[in-house]
Amino acid sequence: TMMGGEVMPLSFRDHIETHLVSVVLTILMLLLVARVLSKQRRPSTSLAWILAIILVPYVGIPIYIVFGGRKFLAVTRRKQRLHVTQREAPVRLLDFDNPAEDVLTSEGVRAPSRQNRIEFVSTGEDAFARLCGMIEQARSSIYIQTYILQRDAVGRALINLLAKRAAEGIDVRLLLDSYGSFGVSQRFLAPLLRAGGRVAWFLPLIPVRRNWSLNLRNHRKLVVVDGARASLGGMNLGREYMGATPEPGRWIDTAVDIEGPAVKDVLEVFCSDWNFASASLLDLSCVHPAAATATGGTDIAQIAASGPDVDGDILYDAMLASIHAARERVWMVTPYFAPGEELFRALLIQARIGRDVRLIMPAKSNHPMADLARGPYLRHLVEAGGKVYLLPAPMLHAKNMVFDVTTAVTGSCNFDLRSLYLNFEVALFVYNRERVDEIARWMEGLMRGATLLDPKPPKRLRSLAEQLSFLVSPLL
């Protein structure tokens, strides 16, 4: 210590306090490292957490305590589990081998259903018109769940339209993620609340609130109307994603509208999330039990949710199995790319043996660190024989995959570790060729407007930034 410019020696008490702090810090580090190892995470994620805890303990320890939980937080145990009632006797519907169906049904997902009518929505204008139409045509209930509700003209128009229907006696429920929709105030929601609509917040950020979390986020975006029509995809509710008229800067994103038996599975996801977040409960057995009937459509569909409320990593497993089993092509559209070791190795192997592996991404996303972390992955994929298409502005936010001519996947899940392992997500798997070909044609349109990635090494400064971002990518 300093006193009058003179260095004073530490007192015996100071030595004891310093020693105790060191002992407590060491014990805490050991306990957290043991916890990391006991969770049997992927080696890359475990190593990243261990390095953070040991090398920068004053930063790594509090971050792990707040953000390190995954499926093990007590709060998630209080939530209704999804995909558990069908585990007893998985049923195969398809008359051809399909790894996605096999994995999903073996892990408890309800078997695919026939006679669905699915419409692929590839513009924000079409999505907005369809959503407004569903709201206006509702006869009994409107259930909407989103990660982001923006406080702009589009968000305000949707709130006012929902308020109008609530005032007419329709059961209107809006479920918002507390982090994604952080800026939404009670004042903004007032028209809906005054009209009798209900609003719930998923996992509040404030520790004193019930069922709170800073890390686990509900990234699902879905709509269910009258228990008979549903929509899901990557679009949030706001001007960036949708609107009545085209805008130059609007993000490129997709959704699917669904009619038929698959709607019941979307409704089950909403009910589970709503009942966890709200005191105003919904009983799935009483909510339009016969509404989601066969439509005479030709689409074969399977709804799969993933996240802390699902045992295992269903979407991850289904994607990994589908990549390995592909015999012709693996095409992917994703805004971010941090797949982890197993998924990336599967893509590399397929590219090296001559499969048609294509990845379509934004040239520049809205997350600079994610763009840095993807660099080594993308160059290695191109060197192995894959193709990476970089689409210029506007931002590409869609999440779609095509495997051969048999399977297409669309929903809320990005191809990164946060979506695959941490977030609450939902996806639609489609197994008939007509819909697979439609989504593949949309991807081809994106490719025509994109440029192929040049795998040449980056400059030294960017290379260093990429390596640092790549190192922490398992934590992003």
Side-chain angles (χ1 to χ4, degrees), residues 52-163:
I53 291 168
I54 293 176
L55 298 182
V56 282
Y58 295 105
V59 176
I61 288 176
I63 288 179
Y64 180 81
I65 291 173
V66 174
F67 295 107
R70 186 173 163 237
K71 294 178 183 284
F72 311 100
L73 292 181
V75 64
T76 63
R77 299 193 188 102
R78 294 194 291 269
K79 188 180 186 301
Q80 174 190 337
R81 311 302 289 178
L82 292 171
H83 305 322
V84 293
T85 58
Q86 294 80 38
R87 282 184 177 274
E88 296 298 327
V91 178
R92 294 196 71 226
L93 174 74
L94 304 181
D95 54 7
F96 55 89
D97 289 336
N98 189 290
E101 182 204 20
D102 291 342
V103 168
L104 294 177
T105 54
S106 71
E107 296 195 25
V109 178
R110 187 174 286 113
S113 57
R114 296 186 184 273
Q115 295 189 313
N116 294 284
R117 183 178 293 115
I118 294 171
E119 297 184 60
F120 183 63
V121 183
S122 59
T123 70
E125 299 77 58
D126 190 14
F128 184 75
R130 287 170 177 269
L131 176 57
C132 291
M134 290 174 69
I135 294 172
E136 291 168 345
Q137 294 162 20
R139 292 174 294 181
S140 58
S141 63
I142 302 167
Y143 303 148
I144 298 178
Q145 176 173 343
T146 188
Y147 178 62
I148 296 173
L149 172 65
Q150 292 182 338
R151 296 178 301 165
D152 57 19
V154 169
R156 189 172 297 105
L158 290 173
I159 290 296
N160 290 336
L161 182 57
L162 290 170

Side-chain angles (χ1 to χ4, degrees), residues 49-346:
W49 278 121
I50 290 171
L51 288 176
I53 291 168
I54 293 176
L55 298 182
V56 282
Y58 295 105
V59 176
I61 288 176
I63 288 179
Y64 180 81
I65 291 173
V66 174
F67 295 107
R70 186 173 163 237
K71 294 178 183 284
F72 311 100
L73 292 181
V75 64
T76 63
R77 299 193 188 102
R78 294 194 291 269
K79 188 180 186 301
Q80 174 190 337
R81 311 302 289 178
L82 292 171
H83 305 322
V84 293
T85 58
Q86 294 80 38
R87 282 184 177 274
E88 296 298 327
V91 178
R92 294 196 71 226
L93 174 74
L94 304 181
D95 54 7
F96 55 89
D97 289 336
N98 189 290
E101 182 204 20
D102 291 342
V103 168
L104 294 177
T105 54
S106 71
E107 296 195 25
V109 178
R110 187 174 286 113
S113 57
R114 296 186 184 273
Q115 295 189 313
N116 294 284
R117 183 178 293 115
I118 294 171
E119 297 184 60
F120 183 63
V121 183
S122 59
T123 70
E125 299 77 58
D126 190 14
F128 184 75
R130 287 170 177 269
L131 176 57
C132 291
M134 290 174 69
I135 294 172
E136 291 168 345
Q137 294 162 20
R139 292 174 294 181
S140 58
S141 63
I142 302 167
Y143 303 148
I144 298 178
Q145 176 173 343
T146 188
Y147 178 62
I148 296 173
L149 172 65
Q150 292 182 338
R151 296 178 301 165
D152 57 19
V154 169
R156 189 172 297 105
L158 290 173
I159 290 296
N160 290 336
L161 182 57
L162 290 170
K164 174 177 176 292
R165 298 313 320 274
E168 295 169 353
I170 302 297
D171 179 15
V172 178
R173 305 190 187 216
L174 176 62
L175 179 58
L176 304 174
D177 182 78
S178 297
Y179 179 81
S181 299
F182 179 74
V184 176
S185 63
Q186 291 293 107
R187 181 179 179 182
F188 186 80
L189 299 169
L192 175 58
L193 297 171
R194 283 197 301 264
R198 297 179 174 92
V199 178
W201 295 87
F202 198 92
L203 288 177
L205 305 179
I206 304 174
V208 297
R209 299 286 298 277
R210 173 178 174 268
N211 294 343
W212 74 280
S213 174
L214 289 176
N215 188 32
L216 303 178
R217 304 295 6 132
N218 197 319
H219 199 240
R220 296 165 183 162
K221 299 105 173 170
L222 56 88
V223 180
V224 184
V225 171
D226 297 336
R229 297 179 62 189
S231 175
L232 63 84
M235 295 186 190
N236 292 294
L237 304 181
R239 187 176 176 183
E240 254 176 352
Y241 305 89
M242 59 177 65
T245 57
E247 292 193 13
R250 178 163 293 144
W251 291 8
I252 299 171
D253 213 332
T254 61
V256 284
D257 284 355
I258 309 168
E259 292 182 75
V263 173
K264 182 179 179 180
D265 299 321
V266 183
L267 177 59
E268 183 177 7
V269 174
F270 178 85
C271 288
S272 172
D273 289 352
W274 177 269
N275 289 348
F276 177 70
S278 173
S280 174
L281 302 183
L282 274 168
D283 184 354
L284 178 62
S285 64
C286 300
V287 180
H288 317 289
T293 56
T295 64
T298 60
D299 294 311
I300 304 171
Q302 192 170 22
I303 302 295
S306 71
D309 55 350
V310 176
D311 294 331
D313 301 301
I314 288 178
L315 291 184
Y316 183 96
D317 293 345
M319 291 176 191
L320 182 61
S322 297
I323 294 171
H324 276 302
R327 292 297 175 263
E328 298 176 11
R329 67 178 174 185
V330 178
W331 290 5
M332 296 185 176
V333 176
T334 179
Y336 320 110
F337 189 72
E341 184 178 346
E342 296 90 346
L343 281 173
F344 186 61
R345 180 64 58 182

